[in-house]
Amino acid sequence: RASLAWAEFPAVAAVSASESAANATDHTVNLPSGIGSGNLLIALFVTDGIPTITWPAGWTQLFSEVEGTSVKVEVRYRVADGTEGASITVTTDAAQETEHQTWRITGQHSTSAPEAGIAGAGVSSSPDPPALSPSWGAEDTLWIALMGSDNSLTVSAYPTNYSDNQRSANSGGAGGVTVGSAIRNLNTALDNPGAFTLSASENNVRNVLAIRPAIAVPPPPPLTPANPIEFVPGPHAAPGQDAIEMVPR
């Protein structure tokens, strides 16, 4: 018999990055490869200044925050329908340099949206994302710590234990911006990431995201003479789900 697959942490299946290294109002945000229907797409957009940002239809805002008039950070998500191309165009109402990171995630909950903390903002060389208690409590959650800063800096350290997919980039020059992110898997009802380390003190915005895992399928009961039923994968599973049928022994 084929074995049932129990729930696991959501997985980062692919990542992408892009930038506008010169002032522009139309910004090409590259999407990850291999997008399939039902995948969760998350996009992080960091812009110099605080322009109004306009996204294509179908992208839902998780948060938007500014630090003074120097830098603005937005994160949006979309559940893919399979028609996505290789990129989207995001616009700003003033010409600015921008940095972007995108993730394609699989194994996420089918009805619980990602959640974001209350974004922090300030001037420092150690942007420290806030704590977050996702509404679903302690489950096998995927956490993404992220930050965006004014100016073109170097990220030399990431939040403690956020050791996966550590990524950073800057758009170059004093008119540029810097982006950084890192990921961890942790079953907990609350996480409070540590700080990033930047090469200089600068205006910055920081936050943390949580992605809930798919619903777990409970293990089958033990087979006993009084319970001669075997649970096997059924033929009518919905996409990404395991249907169960009972087969007499």
Side-chain angles (χ1 to χ4, degrees), residues 216-233:
V217 179
L223 298 178
T224 68
N227 183 35
I229 299 293
E230 182 179 5
F231 289 75
V232 300

Side-chain angles (χ1 to χ4, degrees), residues 11-159:
V12 175
V15 298
S16 189
S18 48
E19 66 182 14
S20 293
N23 287 339
T25 55
D26 290 343
H27 309 274
T28 299
V29 177
N30 292 338
L31 298 179
S33 62
I35 297 173
S37 180
N39 291 169
L40 175 64
L41 305 177
I42 295 179
L44 164 60
F45 189 91
V46 181
T47 177
D48 193 32
I50 55 171
T52 298
I53 303 171
T54 302
W55 295 72
W59 288 83
T60 301
Q61 183 172 291
L62 281 175
F63 80 91
S64 178
E65 186 60 87
V66 302
E67 165 49 33
T69 59
S70 297
V71 65
K72 185 174 187 177
V73 176
E74 284 194 6
V75 171
R76 297 210 175 195
Y77 77 93
R78 171 183 174 91
V79 177
D81 60 13
T83 65
E84 292 77 13
S87 65
I88 58 173
T89 298
V90 177
T91 63
T92 54
D93 68 348
Q96 300 287 1
E97 293 185 31
T98 60
E99 279 288 340
H100 336 121
Q101 293 184 353
T102 57
W103 297 265
R104 178 170 70 87
I105 295 169
T106 60
Q108 81 280 1
H109 198 280
S110 61
T111 59
S112 292
E115 296 185 5
I118 299 174
V123 181
S124 74
S125 60
S126 53
D128 189 355
L132 174 60
S133 299
S135 60
W136 53 83
E139 295 185 11
D140 289 347
T141 298
L142 174 69
W143 304 81
I144 303 177
L146 57 90
M147 58 74 55
S149 81
D150 191 28
N151 215 328
S152 296
L153 306 177
T154 300
V155 178
S156 60
Y158 296 82

Side-chain angles (χ1 to χ4, degrees), residues 110-236:
S110 61
T111 59
S112 292
E115 296 185 5
I118 299 174
V123 181
S124 74
S125 60
S126 53
D128 189 355
L132 174 60
S133 299
S135 60
W136 53 83
E139 295 185 11
D140 289 347
T141 298
L142 174 69
W143 304 81
I144 303 177
L146 57 90
M147 58 74 55
S149 81
D150 191 28
N151 215 328
S152 296
L153 306 177
T154 300
V155 178
S156 60
Y158 296 82
T160 302
N161 296 319
Y162 278 74
S163 56
D164 295 333
N165 280 281
Q166 294 179 338
R167 306 166 65 210
S168 64
N170 67 66
S171 60
V177 289
T178 301
V179 65
S181 65
I183 289 172
R184 78 176 302 188
N185 292 329
L186 184 65
N187 187 318
T188 182
L190 179 149
D191 195 37
N192 187 0
F196 293 84
T197 301
L198 300 178
S199 54
S201 182
E202 191 53 88
N203 300 75
N204 66 75
V205 173
R206 57 272 185 180
N207 210 342
V208 62
L209 312 179
I211 295 94
R212 188 180 188 184
I215 297 174
V217 179
L223 298 178
T224 68
N227 183 35
I229 299 293
E230 182 179 5
F231 289 75
V232 300
H236 306 297

